[in-house]
Amino acid sequence: MIRLLDEIHEAAARLEESADLDRPMPMAGSIGLYRCWRPQEIRDIVMPDAAVLLVLKGHKKLATASQSWTAAPGEILLIPAGTQFWLGNYPDETGQRYRGMAIRFSSEVIEHFRQVYGAHIESESQAGHWHATAPHPFLHAVHQWLAWCGQHAPSEIVARHRLVELLLLLTQHGLASHLLLPYHPSWSRRVTALVHLDPAHTWRMEEVGARLGVSESTLRRHLQDEGTGFRGLLEEVRLIQGLTLVQESIWPIGRIADAVGYRSQSRFSERFKRRFGLTPRALRHTQDPPPAMARINFLSESGERLAD
């Protein structure tokens, strides 16, 4: 497994190196790559979609309101859609940076999988696992996907097929229960899914209601019945998308703020810190190597011979 994890790590590093300002990450949006040289601790994260978090280097801590787990390299955390949690990413004791992945499964992918394979899955064999060792076939498929992304343009169609394949591999090992929970399209989730398509748009409740086929007053009443409101959902989507871009892209913070609907970078940073406990710039700073390590990398890349 160690060799396979190293291969996945190297494939992920190559993809990160090929990222540019035009594309946050050269792959379909269902995969997120994460790294840090300094500890990251982020509170009140909400995964709108079901997700598998894979640790490649270092370790990850995750805590919900009632439970907590620590994942080492080669282990996964399986997160049901809509879960709110605290997250910590930590480099290993040798000073090597943390690296991990998030594989996100949209409700459409989950429903497609259930329709195709649901009749062949024994529900009693799918225990409610939050934390497990990643099955070798699952890791092998992840490596193939990353290698494919490094050679071809992003494709949502191919990504959908890959996601179904990964779900099938997890199901065969009895690990997919949390990911396959039935999708109940509440009004808040419908609003969230719509706004997520273009968080920078100047959304109004009247427009959202029209797109969802109800009046503004009806939509407001549905959201009140679910204990939420339109403005809160809008900010939720924008901040979660902003968190994703801070971690997964090389875009400047100002560009990220604009991309998720904040016309003021300072306002974005203020709301970001209030929600997650640190500013976007502070989170980015955890991705920078220590000065000594940065010099070693510079000398190595420039071809200079390091002193003995």
Side-chain angles (χ1 to χ4, degrees), residues 159-229:
R160 192 177 304 118
H161 283 279
R162 290 287 192 179
L163 289 168
V164 169
E165 176 190 17
L166 293 179
L167 280 175
L168 187 58
L169 292 171
L170 290 171
T171 300
Q172 290 175 343
H173 288 80
L175 296 175
S177 176
H178 278 177
L179 308 178
L180 299 177
L181 293 175
Y183 175 66
H184 299 290
S186 65
W187 285 99
S188 57
R189 291 197 66 173
R190 294 178 189 180
V191 171
T192 296
L194 177 59
V195 172
H196 183 76
L197 297 175
D198 186 5
H201 180 67
T202 306
W203 291 103
R204 297 287 183 267
M205 184 178 285
E206 180 181 8
E207 177 188 0
V208 172
R211 294 203 188 188
L212 297 179
V214 296
S215 68
E216 179 180 351
S217 60
T218 299
L219 178 59
R220 180 179 291 107
R221 185 173 65 253
H222 284 315
L223 294 179
Q224 287 175 344
D225 290 343
E226 294 176 4
T228 188

Side-chain angles (χ1 to χ4, degrees), residues 64-102:
T64 64
S66 59
Q67 302 178 79
S68 62
W69 304 266
T70 299
E75 296 180 346
I76 54 177
L77 293 162
L78 302 108
I79 316 298
T83 301
Q84 184 171 6
F85 55 90
W86 174 94
L87 182 70
N89 296 322
Y90 303 94
D92 64 27
E93 297 177 353
T94 67
Q96 295 298 312
R97 66 178 171 177
Y98 167 88
R99 186 182 292 279
M101 294 177 54

Side-chain angles (χ1 to χ4, degrees), residues 29-292:
S30 49
I31 293 183
L33 303 178
Y34 302 92
R35 75 280 184 199
C36 64
W37 287 93
R38 298 173 178 83
Q40 295 179 339
E41 295 183 342
I42 310 169
R43 69 188 184 207
D44 293 336
I45 300 175
V46 175
M47 283 283 191
D49 296 321
V52 172
L53 310 182
L54 169 64
V55 178
L56 300 173
K57 300 286 185 180
H59 67 279
K60 178 186 293 289
K61 293 183 178 180
L62 185 145
T64 64
S66 59
Q67 302 178 79
S68 62
W69 304 266
T70 299
E75 296 180 346
I76 54 177
L77 293 162
L78 302 108
I79 316 298
T83 301
Q84 184 171 6
F85 55 90
W86 174 94
L87 182 70
N89 296 322
Y90 303 94
D92 64 27
E93 297 177 353
T94 67
Q96 295 298 312
R97 66 178 171 177
Y98 167 88
R99 186 182 292 279
M101 294 177 54
I103 303 170
R104 299 178 279 259
F105 301 88
S106 69
S107 58
E108 291 78 13
V109 169
I110 298 294
E111 286 305 299
H112 174 71
F113 180 85
R114 290 172 64 87
Q115 290 172 11
V116 175
Y117 296 106
H120 306 286
I121 299 172
E122 296 181 4
S123 59
E124 59 269 21
S125 69
Q126 302 298 314
H129 291 286
W130 285 85
H131 176 214
T133 298
H136 190 274
F138 174 85
L139 292 176
H140 186 67
V142 168
H143 179 245
Q144 286 183 326
W145 191 1
L146 291 181
W148 189 92
C149 290
Q151 300 175 21
H152 304 278
S155 168
E156 293 294 339
I157 295 176
V158 172
R160 192 177 304 118
H161 283 279
R162 290 287 192 179
L163 289 168
V164 169
E165 176 190 17
L166 293 179
L167 280 175
L168 187 58
L169 292 171
L170 290 171
T171 300
Q172 290 175 343
H173 288 80
L175 296 175
S177 176
H178 278 177
L179 308 178
L180 299 177
L181 293 175
Y183 175 66
H184 299 290
S186 65
W187 285 99
S188 57
R189 291 197 66 173
R190 294 178 189 180
V191 171
T192 296
L194 177 59
V195 172
H196 183 76
L197 297 175
D198 186 5
H201 180 67
T202 306
W203 291 103
R204 297 287 183 267
M205 184 178 285
E206 180 181 8
E207 177 188 0
V208 172
R211 294 203 188 188
L212 297 179
V214 296
S215 68
E216 179 180 351
S217 60
T218 299
L219 178 59
R220 180 179 291 107
R221 185 173 65 253
H222 284 315
L223 294 179
Q224 287 175 344
D225 290 343
E226 294 176 4
T228 188
F230 176 71
R231 300 305 305 178
L233 290 174
L234 180 58
E235 181 161 84
E236 171 91 357
V237 172
R238 287 173 168 171
L239 288 176
I240 293 296
Q241 183 64 15
L243 174 64
T244 299
L245 288 171
V246 169
Q247 292 185 290
E248 297 182 16
S249 79
I250 60 172
W251 286 1
I253 302 302
R255 180 172 178 178
I256 292 174
D258 186 67
V260 299
Y262 286 90
R263 300 298 173 255
S264 165
Q265 178 179 333
S266 61
R267 185 171 180 82
F268 170 65
S269 297
E270 174 191 346
R271 295 298 180 89
F272 191 99
K273 182 177 181 179
R274 183 187 303 173
R275 172 61 186 273
F276 302 118
L278 73 174
T279 65
R281 196 169 300 281
L283 181 56
R284 272 281 174 84
H285 187 58
T286 66
Q287 300 175 353
D288 299 331

